[in-house]
């Protein structure tokens, strides 16, 4: 087990290094440059001075070498457009994305498993159709559109929730105010992630319910509820776990859009702003951090398989 | 009829009494002393007006925080006293002397002196390696010299009569005692992203990255006591979300870049729409390194082929005025209407092109000596540039010009069109200080490397721009800039489209704002208040 984890960690480090290589050279291949230097008003002289300050007058391979050398020492460089250390920006933004992501993940998981179970139990009944309509909507409506509609409904018309931001000024410690800000982005994000959980839960439960051991349990005369929760459910959990791993990584890409719509100061918005402004060190830092999360989550999910299903062993 | 007379007198006495009572009441409750305002900005600001990253998201906040030597007069936008009380130019026009206020202090209590001005210029703006914002506009300035604690001289390498205008254009002063010794005074993170030491009526109370910047009154402000308890700028990247927040009552004022968003505003009786004129002109630049466009008749024809009035209606919902040149109507003293106008006339355009040798070929596209009039027109995803470009494409195709539009991401567009000048035609805009001196966008010296995007070169116009900078009296300047406008309207270095109105929507509870334009409005933020 320990050697398995070690092997996965080493593999993870290699993956991250590859991510850094691909990202670094891709972003430098893209046309444009740091928005402070590549702007409409900037004259050639001003632009050259700025690019030199950023070290962009050096060849790209040299730049990568320098970046890697300081990155392995924990220094991710300084943002071109914000003038702040990348590590500080990531540290400021990560908790916000985690809050949003966790709220959405928990909502999507709880509701998804619940609805999936309801659908499976009432297979082909009207409740199943209602659930399948909801999941189809969640899968096909783009998050940004849903976000805008939610803002119009809940912020402009009903005035229940704030349209944007993470907290009102002067209310930094006000939990209710923070929850109000969180409700819409987390809700919309959860709505777009939930369908995967619903569908996998439903099909896994249906598959398990046809298995011999479930039939045996029913044959023994156990109550349907006991069969569902004690026998079927536990065995249906492995595919659900797998999809949760996928959903967690989808959270990161989903939050990029949602954070921009709701002005949520998280990693996603930081990455978008960095990409628009060609803030290379920030793009790299944010991509690597997202990569790290994916690597770690995948490892945790694999380890959880073994915990849930004793037949799975990691050697 | 004596009784009536008496009654009349009585009535007058009564009204006078009532009026004076009203005055007393009004002055007692002139404004809400706890009033606070909330605005929006689209990204984390950089609180240093000269840092290259401080652009649209920072400009107005920096205008509140950092006082300038010169402000705009809110009635006509002429230079008015700020941190400098008065100024005069030498007889030869080769220097300007500024006399500073003696009672101004920084927010930390230090006195504001000539050393700060000298530092701001000699150790920041004029240091080429730092790449300061708008550094190129100050190239006529060699250095700034301290005469005494409250007098400075700007030493010039050539006349620069518009210097006071440029000193009023996002040109805040920096504190020498705080930033001296920094390796790069424009890149001090604790200043730019934290709590800068300022001279303005408000200072930073709290800066939460990605969320908001809250300004509070500067207790050490030299001017009138600020009337607001705080001004908060919420960071809201999306324009639609800003309007939604405004409608929901969470914001007091939003500037509208897309007039289509005004639709919902009229439903809210607490909101008023303010139209302001700005020195902004939209244009189509033709790459004048391309010999096809070097004939002025071709440029005139291409402008006549565009129905600008229809575009203003379609793209701006009517919020704009047809442009004739770089000097907008806002500059009443200088704006000249009696110049060539090039109204919409597709037939006339075809005739002009035929005169220049461009006739329809077998494929219907105009050609001359085997060369087709096919135009590459890249456009960037920003504001309404894409729809406006597509309309121009349609108008030009109507007269037999082939136009290939390529829509690219904004930063890549700037790289292509501005940095590399890799385009045949492109549509964009310039936002300039309210001075007729716009040489930076036209002078031959600014072609290729500077803001002369079409790479226009005209020695006659170059000489006139210099003459304008050397002219010391208003009458002389008016005469020079009239000539400039006549030549430009005839020559069309740019195809001028329109002067857009700046539209802001604000809550009627706000008082004390200057409506002439937003830059001037933010220079007088100490006048703002919330009605009781």
């Amino acid at each position: 087990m320990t050697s398995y984890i070690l092997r996965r960690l080493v593999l993870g480090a290699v993956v991250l290094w590859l991510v850094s290589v691909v990202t670094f050279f891709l972003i430098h291949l893209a046309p444009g440059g740091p928005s402070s230097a590549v702007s409409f008003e900037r004259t050639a002289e001003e632009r050259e001075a700025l690019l030199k300050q950023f070290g962009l007058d050096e060849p790209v391979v040299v730049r990568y070498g320098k970046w890697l050398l300081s990155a392995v020492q924990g220094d991710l460089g300084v943002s071109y457009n914000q003038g702040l250390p990348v590590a500080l920006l990531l540290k400021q933004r990560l908790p916000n994305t985690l809050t949003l992501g966790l709220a959405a993940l928990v909502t999507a998981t709880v509701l998804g498993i619940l609805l999936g179970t309801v659908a499976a139990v009432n297979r082909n009944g009207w409740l199943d159709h209602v659930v399948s309509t909801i999941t189809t909507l969640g899968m096909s409506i783009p998050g940004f559109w849903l976000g805008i509609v939610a803002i119009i409904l809940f912020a402009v018309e009903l005035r229940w929730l704030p349209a944007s931001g993470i907290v009102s000024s002067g209310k930094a410690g006000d939990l209710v105010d923070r929850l109000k800000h969180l409700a819409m982005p987390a809700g919309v994000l959860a709505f777009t992630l939930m369908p995967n959980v619903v569908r996998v839960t439903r099909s896994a439960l249906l598959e398990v319910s046809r298995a011999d051991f479930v039939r045996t349990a029913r044959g023994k005369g156990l109550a349907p509820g006991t069969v569902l929760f004690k026998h079927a459910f536990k065995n249906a959990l492995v595919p659900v776990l797998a999809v949760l791993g996928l959903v967690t990584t989808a959270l990161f890409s989903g939050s990029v859009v949602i954070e921009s719509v709701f002005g949520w100061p998280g990693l996603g918005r930081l990455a978008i702003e960095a990409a628009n402004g060609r803030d290379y060190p920030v793009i790299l830092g944010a991509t690597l951090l997202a990569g790290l999360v994916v690597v770690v989550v995948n490892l945790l999910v694999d380890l959880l398989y073994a915990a849930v299903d004793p037949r799975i062993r990691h050697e | 009829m004596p009784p009536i007379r008496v009654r009349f007198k009585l009535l007058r006495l009564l009204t006078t009494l009532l009026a004076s009572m009203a005055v007393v009441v009004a002055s007692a409750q002139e404004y809400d002393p706890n009033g606070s305002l909330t605005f929006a900005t689209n990204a984390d600001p950089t609180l240093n007006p000269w840092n290259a990253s401080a652009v649209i998201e920072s400009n107005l906040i920096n205008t509140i925080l950092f006082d300038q030597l010169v402000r705009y007069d809110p009635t006509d936008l002429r230079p008015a006293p700020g941190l400098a009380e008065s100024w005069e130019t030498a007889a030869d026009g080769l220097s300007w002397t500024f006399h500073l206020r003696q009672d101004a202090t920084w927010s930390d209590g230090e006195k504001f002196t000539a050393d700060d001005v000298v530092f701001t210029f000699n150790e920041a703006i004029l240091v080429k390696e730092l790449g300061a914002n708008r550094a190129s506009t100050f190239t006529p300035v060699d250095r700034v010299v301290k005469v005494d604690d409250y007098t400075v001289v700007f030493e010039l390498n050539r006349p620069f009569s518009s210097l006071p205008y440029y000193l009023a254009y996002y040109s805040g002063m920096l504190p020498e005692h705080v930033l001296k010794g920094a390796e790069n005074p424009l890149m001090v993170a604790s200043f730019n992203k934290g709590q800068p030491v300022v001279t303005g009526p408000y200072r930073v109370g709290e800066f939460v990255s990605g969320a908001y910047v809250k300004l509070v009154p500067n207790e050490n402000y030299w001017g009138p006591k600020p009337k607001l308890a705080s001004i908060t700028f919420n960071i809201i990247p999306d324009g639609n979300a800003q309007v939604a927040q405004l409608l929901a009552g969470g914001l007091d004022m939003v500037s509208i870049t897309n007039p289509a968003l005004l639709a919902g505003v009229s439903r809210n009786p607490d909101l008023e729409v303010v139209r302001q004129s700005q020195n902004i002109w939209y244009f189509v630049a033709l790459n004048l390194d391309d010999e096809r466009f070097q004939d002025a008749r071709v440029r005139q024809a291409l402008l006549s082929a565009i129905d600008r009035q229809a575009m203003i209606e379609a793209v701006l919902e009517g919020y704009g005025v047809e442009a004739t040149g770089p000097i907008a109507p806002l500059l009443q003293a200088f704006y000249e209407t009696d110049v060539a106008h090039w109204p919409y006339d597709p037939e006339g355009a075809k005739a002009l092109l035929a005169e220049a040798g461009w006739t329809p070929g077998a494929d219907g596209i105009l050609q001359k000596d085997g060369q087709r009039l096919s135009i590459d027109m890249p456009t960037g995803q920003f504001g309404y540039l894409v729809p406006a470009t597509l309309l121009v494409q349609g108008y030009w195709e109507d007269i037999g010009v082939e136009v290939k539009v390529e829509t690219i991401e904004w930063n890549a567009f700037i790289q292509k069109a501005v940095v590399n000048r890799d385009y045949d035609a492109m549509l964009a805009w310039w936002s300039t200080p309210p001075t007729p001196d716009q040489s930076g966008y036209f002078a031959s010296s600014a072609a290729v490397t500077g803001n002369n995007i079409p790479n226009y070169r005209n020695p006659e116009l170059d000489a006139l721009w210099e003459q304008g900078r050397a002219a010391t009296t208003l009458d002389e300047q008016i005469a020079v800039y009239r000539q400039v406008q006549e030549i430009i309207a005839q020559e069309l270095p740019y195809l001028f489209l329109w002067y857009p109105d700046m539209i802001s929507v604000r809550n009627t509870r706000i008082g004390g704002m200057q409506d002439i334009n937003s830059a001037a409005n933010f220079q007088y933020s100490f006048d703002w208040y919330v009605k009781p």
Side-chain angles (χ1 to χ4, degrees):
Chain A
M1 191 70 172
T2 319
S3 72
Y4 170 78
I5 295 177
L6 270 176
R7 207 167 63 231
R8 287 287 302 262
L9 286 177
V10 171
L11 260 173
V14 173
V15 166
L16 287 182
W17 172 71
L18 283 173
V19 166
S20 84
V21 173
V22 172
T23 312
F24 193 95
F25 289 96
L26 261 186
I27 56 181
H28 283 86
L29 275 177
S35 57
S36 49
V38 178
S39 81
F40 234 82
E41 293 79 10
R42 211 63 68 216
T43 61
E45 195 179 38
E46 293 164 1
R47 186 164 49 242
E48 273 152 30
L50 290 165
L51 292 179
K52 195 164 178 214
Q53 278 179 39
F54 300 145
L56 289 172
D57 51 341
E58 293 182 279
V60 69
V61 180
V62 174
R63 260 143 54 199
Y64 179 72
K66 283 187 175 174
W67 176 86
L68 189 65
L69 202 67
S70 48
V72 292
Q73 296 170 47
D75 178 6
L76 292 171
V78 174
S79 156
Y80 296 156
N81 297 337
Q82 304 221 47
L84 293 172
V86 175
L88 176 70
L89 288 169
L90 296 179
K91 210 176 94 188
Q92 283 174 347
R93 302 301 180 92
L94 183 65
N96 298 339
T97 291
L98 289 181
T99 310
L100 175 63
L102 224 75
L105 187 65
V106 169
T107 314
T109 311
V110 171
L111 279 180
I113 292 180
L114 195 78
L115 290 180
T117 310
V118 167
V121 172
N122 300 282
R123 183 153 73 114
N124 294 332
W126 67 273
L127 267 175
D128 190 15
H129 292 304
V130 170
V131 171
S132 121
T133 308
I134 294 174
T135 53
T136 310
L137 284 178
M139 282 195 122
S140 44
I141 297 178
F144 72 88
W145 187 83
L146 197 63
I148 291 169
V149 171
I151 289 174
I152 293 173
L153 183 63
F154 295 111
V156 178
E157 296 300 331
L158 299 171
R159 299 203 178 187
W160 291 350
L161 298 168
S164 174
I166 185 167
V167 67
S168 310
S169 74
K171 289 190 176 174
D174 187 337
L175 189 66
V176 175
D177 185 69
R178 281 185 182 268
L179 285 176
K180 275 184 163 179
H181 281 86
L182 179 63
M184 262 203 287
V188 170
L189 192 53
F191 190 72
T192 57
L193 294 173
M194 192 182 61
N196 293 311
V197 185
V198 176
R199 289 181 167 222
V200 171
T201 309
R202 180 180 179 274
S203 62
L205 266 178
L206 286 179
E207 195 162 311
V208 170
S209 67
R210 278 183 234 116
D212 294 344
F213 67 91
V214 173
R215 201 174 44 204
T216 313
R218 283 214 195 94
K220 282 196 298 186
L222 288 179
T226 318
V227 177
L228 179 67
F229 290 108
K230 282 197 99 166
H231 297 259
F233 206 72
K234 219 174 155 187
N235 287 290
L237 216 56
V238 174
V240 175
L241 263 183
V243 85
L244 281 185
L246 291 176
V247 164
T248 309
T249 49
L251 262 182
F252 267 83
S253 45
S255 67
V256 169
V257 175
I258 296 298
E259 286 179 359
S260 298
V261 173
F262 289 100
W264 189 265
L267 276 180
R269 207 175 103 198
L270 185 73
I272 284 276
E273 279 167 9
N276 286 338
R278 304 291 192 277
D279 199 336
Y280 303 140
V282 177
I283 302 176
L284 271 167
T287 312
L288 278 182
L289 186 56
L292 182 70
V293 170
V294 171
V295 165
V296 170
V297 167
N298 280 338
L299 177 59
L300 286 179
V301 168
D302 285 349
L303 293 177
L304 271 177
Y305 284 158
V308 173
D309 187 344
R311 287 170 302 180
I312 298 173
R313 294 258 183 280
H314 295 304
E315 296 304 340
Chain B
M1 300 188 292
I4 294 172
R5 227 187 136 82
V6 170
R7 238 185 283 159
F8 180 71
K9 262 190 176 168
L10 239 167
L11 198 75
R12 218 166 58 179
L13 196 77
L14 210 79
T15 45
T16 320
L17 210 83
L18 273 172
S20 58
M21 271 169 71
V23 168
V24 171
V25 171
S27 62
Q29 294 194 333
E30 206 182 320
Y31 63 90
D32 173 3
N34 298 316
S36 290
L37 294 178
T38 309
F39 302 151
T41 189
N42 57 3
D44 268 15
T46 298
L47 305 177
N48 183 328
W50 303 101
N51 178 293
S53 294
V55 284
I56 186 157
E57 76 296 320
S58 312
N59 282 343
L60 294 177
I61 302 176
N62 283 338
T63 303
I64 297 179
L65 293 175
F66 297 93
D67 268 337
Q68 307 171 142
L69 292 180
V70 181
R71 282 199 280 241
Y72 296 126
D73 185 312
T75 57
D76 58 6
L77 299 182
R78 300 278 295 280
L83 284 171
E85 285 179 317
S86 63
W87 47 88
E88 70 268 344
T89 182
D92 61 2
L94 286 173
S95 71
W96 276 95
T97 304
F98 284 79
H99 305 282
L100 310 180
R101 301 191 66 89
Q102 306 208 359
D103 57 353
T105 51
W106 292 95
S107 52
D108 62 0
E110 285 280 323
K111 286 194 94 52
F112 168 81
T113 66
D115 292 325
D116 296 308
V117 184
V118 169
F119 173 79
T120 302
F121 277 87
N122 295 358
E123 293 182 49
I125 305 165
L126 299 179
V127 180
K128 288 203 166 78
E129 293 72 34
L130 300 184
N133 265 342
R134 294 173 297 281
S136 66
T137 55
F138 292 101
T139 42
V141 179
D142 268 343
R143 61 185 187 129
V144 178
V145 176
K146 173 182 172 178
V147 176
D148 59 49
D149 273 355
Y150 298 101
T151 313
V152 290
V153 173
F154 282 69
E155 293 186 350
L156 310 179
N157 48 49
R158 55 182 190 274
F160 191 13
S161 64
S162 51
L163 176 66
Y165 286 96
Y166 282 96
L167 289 176
Y169 190 64
Y170 304 124
S171 294
M173 290 295 119
L174 299 175
E176 188 222 19
H177 67 284
V178 177
L179 296 176
K180 198 176 175 68
E183 192 191 337
N184 179 345
L186 303 184
M187 293 286 262
V188 178
S190 57
F191 191 88
N192 298 357
K193 296 284 176 179
Q195 307 262 346
V197 171
V198 301
T199 44
Y202 294 88
R203 62 178 175 82
V204 176
E206 200 186 0
F207 188 157
V208 181
S209 170
Y212 59 85
V213 182
K214 185 178 182 180
L215 309 185
V216 295
N218 170 7
E219 303 79 4
N220 289 313
Y221 184 52
W222 55 271
K225 189 177 174 306
K227 301 184 175 80
L228 294 165
S230 68
I231 305 171
T232 303
F233 288 84
N234 283 342
I235 293 154
I236 307 175
D238 181 59
N240 295 300
Q242 290 187 3
V243 174
Q245 195 107 315
L246 175 82
L247 292 174
L251 291 175
D252 291 301
M253 183 167 74
V254 160
S255 59
I256 307 275
T257 44
N258 178 3
L261 291 177
L262 281 172
V265 168
S266 53
R267 287 189 295 158
N268 189 332
D270 294 336
L271 299 175
E272 58 181 336
V273 177
V274 184
R275 282 176 81 152
Q276 297 169 328
S277 187
Q278 302 275 44
N279 229 74
I280 296 177
W281 39 283
Y282 273 72
F283 60 80
V284 173
L286 295 165
N287 194 332
L288 299 178
D289 287 346
D290 185 328
E291 59 174 23
R292 293 177 299 170
F293 306 125
Q294 284 168 1
D295 185 336
R297 288 172 300 184
V298 173
R299 303 198 290 272
Q300 293 161 355
L302 289 173
L303 183 56
S304 315
I306 301 172
D307 188 347
R308 289 177 282 173
Q309 205 50 51
M311 286 184 75
I312 291 170
E313 294 302 326
V315 181
L316 298 174
E317 310 228 338
Y319 287 95
V321 178
E322 223 174 277
T324 48
I327 296 170
L330 183 68
L331 303 181
Q332 301 140 10
F334 298 100
Y335 175 60
E336 178 60 64
T337 48
D338 188 19
V339 295
H341 271 258
W342 312 109
Y344 178 50
D345 178 12
E347 292 311 313
K350 282 186 209 166
L352 255 178
L353 282 168
E355 201 185 303
W358 292 93
T359 49
D363 57 355
I365 303 297
L366 296 173
Q367 49 187 24
K368 179 186 177 182
D369 310 329
Q371 217 183 354
R372 296 167 82 240
L373 197 48
S374 172
I375 295 178
D376 281 329
M377 194 167 184
T379 183
Q381 287 164 324
F382 195 96
Y384 48 68
L385 294 188
V386 175
T389 299
L390 293 174
L391 285 171
V392 169
Q393 178 188 35
Y395 286 123
W396 284 354
E397 283 174 350
D398 286 348
I399 58 161
V401 179
E402 183 179 62
V403 185
K404 294 176 187 157
V405 171
E406 182 196 1
T407 303
I408 43 185
E409 180 261 348
W410 181 236
N411 187 290
F413 168 71
I414 296 174
Q415 175 82 28
K416 183 179 169 80
V418 181
V419 178
N420 299 334
R421 301 286 209 261
D422 176 15
Y423 69 92
D424 292 340
M426 65 111 130
L427 193 153
W429 77 95
W430 280 122
S431 170
T432 72
T435 160
D437 175 15
Q438 306 218 359
S439 46
Y441 309 96
F442 295 87
S444 305
S445 58
V448 187
T449 56
N451 291 339
N452 178 353
I453 286 186
N455 295 342
Y456 178 72
R457 296 173 181 86
N458 181 346
E460 187 195 1
L461 195 62
D462 289 344
L464 277 173
W465 288 122
E466 289 302 320
Q467 225 177 302
R469 287 191 158 183
T472 44
T473 70
L474 185 62
D475 286 343
E476 269 180 89
Q477 290 174 357
I478 288 174
V480 170
Y481 291 116
R482 172 171 302 152
Q483 258 181 291
V484 163
Q485 288 173 86
E486 281 165 4
I487 292 175
I488 284 180
Q490 197 63 40
E491 274 279 303
L492 299 178
Y494 296 79
L495 311 185
F496 299 96
L497 296 176
W498 53 73
Y499 312 113
D501 287 340
M502 285 291 289
I503 311 161
S504 45
V505 180
R506 68 177 183 226
N507 197 301
T508 49
R509 72 191 190 104
I510 306 179
M513 287 207 159
Q514 304 291 348
D515 283 338
I516 189 161
N517 81 1
S518 57
N521 186 25
F522 278 69
Q523 290 174 358
Y524 295 87
S525 57
F526 50 79
D527 278 338
W528 298 347
Y529 61 89
V530 171
K531 293 169 190 166

